Amino acid sequence: MLKEKQSRLLANRFGPLVVLAALLLGLSLLTRIALLVLAHANMDWSPLNLLRVFGVGLFFDLVALSYFMIPLVVYLWLMPDRWYRHRIQTWWLQLSFVGLVFLLLFTAAGEWVFWGEFGSRFNFIAVDYLLYTQEVVRNIQESYPVGAILSGLLLVALVLIWLCRPALRPSWQQASRWQARTGVAALLLLLPVLSYWLVDYKQKDLSSNTVVNQLSGNGIYEFFAANRNNELDYATFYASEPDEKVLRRLRTLLKTPESTFISEDPRQLARTVRYPGPEKRMNVVLISVESLSADFMASFGNTQGITPQLDALAKQSLMYTNLYASGTRTVRGLEALSLALPPTPGQSIVRRPDNENLFSLGYVFRSKGYDSQFLYGGYGYFDNMNHFFGSNSYRVVDRTALSDKDVHFENVWGVADEDLFTLALRQMDQSVAGGKPFFSHIMTTSNHRPFTYPAGRIDIPPDSKSREGGVKYTDWAIGDFIRRAQKKPWFDNTLFVITADHCASSAGKTDLPVDRYHIPLMVYAPKVIQPGVMPRLMAQVDLAPTLLGLLNFSYTSHFFGYDIATLEPGRERIFIATYQDIGYLKDGKLAILSPRKQVKTVLPNFSDGSAVGLPDDPALRDDAIAWYQGASYLFRNKTSRLPPLP
């Protein structure tokens, strides 16, 4: 009877799926057992936890199978009957199975290595490694006999498929009708759809033991779930303290002269910010320039002459000379400028799910009756910008608002900066005509590879495709924008804030080379702001509260930034990070928090990016944990979510 049922399962068009399911579930079980042996010392061996490891684990293996089988289901469905039973197809199917099994074996081997390194299934660190393929591949080649391992995995895959040939053969010996195949395929393809909407990677976390929760997952599913959720769980991978202790310490770090906590509850960090005197209801233009390192400007010692417009503006502006970006990607800069939060591990909040209704700079301006705008010269679906800004109190205006006749030049990233600024001026005019002041955050794109721009604007030809050309063209476009804005009736009542999203290069001598995070900031309003220099150390997250301080705005704040103009001397600090390493610098010392709960303290060189190791500094360590764990806690627990403004 059992053999008859097995025969019926295999002797139909979708019989190979049974073979694939047996291979995936079998290899997943063996992987789970191997990881259990590897992690035995930290495992809670209660019967209930063993049931979770293997019962919940089987469920997530089936979820992974629902995704993994999609290509094979589509192939089996669409292949015409007479072709499917052809000898060439039968060999092709077996060869495809070799590839699928090799991938499963490779994943299992990768999980073993990854667990040995991080004590975890695949997570965003594994996704992050794809961003640094060259470095990772070189490290693997230097650490393991890659050729021998891959050859061994291929040999095992060939042997397994050779043994599975009798189970595959019945499938191509049976006739199959299109209508019948379509019905079965529809049901099978419904499974990954249901998995996508009904299953969440956190559903496996049923135990207080981290090892149990990790073993209850499936490596393939965890990898793609990490890519989708774009974050690393702080408490799992980084040095941490009890949440209540962290939040109490964070309250002492957040308290500033102009602010008062609304509640005594340590989990509530909202403060009332008050400044004496009337508010200055000026228009604000915030330009975040793509990849504008401070050392591109003559104001910081550059001798190439590639920022003449910005250097001229710097002499007429309040220049902040000691500002440091949060990260190395545009989304990190946008996160810091809009939310004033430290860069929590993993991807920027801009790209994470469930990032709506956050307290933002746009929210403050909108609550004051401003038209809060985010303007981008490309298509804002890239990097999730449209959704993020549109869900957090900004009105999004992107490439779709421009007709072809409005565009002088465009490349893959968007229109030339001059066309973006033309669009911005149009939006500002509309706001003023509608009786509203405006806050316009403009994100430029031209200083980005391939560094192409309209001809005839600067003395570096576009076909040079050089970084210097990209910088100088963006500089020209900003100067042209300011000259056009000077002719507007609203110019004298407008603050122009010019900064960068991040530096042009993040590579340096250390994991967190401080010199690769130094960016410029200038505030230009010739009728209101006296030219000068602000040399105090300043984090990118400080820009929002500092800007609101210049306007004398009173508001309820959830920001983690300081108003640098009112902050007591000695409290300056900065946050710098990659996807994995998160740094906190204060009093010249940098604490670096890394996965596997590692913490180290270094003395960074601000000129060349080098660093010298220092003994552990407990106070610096505890402050770093408070800032980063606190920020992660607030986002995870939705503490600072706000109802949408009308």
Side-chain angles (χ1 to χ4, degrees), residues 279-283 365 368-370 437 493 551 553:
E279 296 184 348
K280 302 172 185 177
R281 294 181 60 81
M282 300 180 67
N283 305 305
F365 278 108
K368 300 283 185 181
Y370 279 65
N493 191 44
L551 296 172
F553 276 8

Side-chain angles (χ1 to χ4, degrees), residues 259-317:
S259 69
T260 304
F261 282 101
I262 294 174
S263 169
E264 294 299 320
D265 184 346
R267 293 167 295 181
Q268 301 298 323
L269 301 179
R271 289 96 62 209
T272 299
V273 176
R274 298 281 183 215
Y275 293 98
E279 296 184 348
K280 302 172 185 177
R281 294 181 60 81
M282 300 180 67
N283 305 305
V284 176
V285 179
L286 169 60
I287 304 174
S288 52
V289 183
E290 171 69 46
S291 305
L292 184 66
S293 304
D295 58 15
F296 286 149
M297 296 181 60
S299 305
F300 295 93
N302 190 287
T303 59
Q304 295 174 291
I306 54 177
T307 57
Q309 306 296 324
L310 289 174
D311 286 316
L313 279 174
K315 296 175 182 177
Q316 306 169 57
S317 304

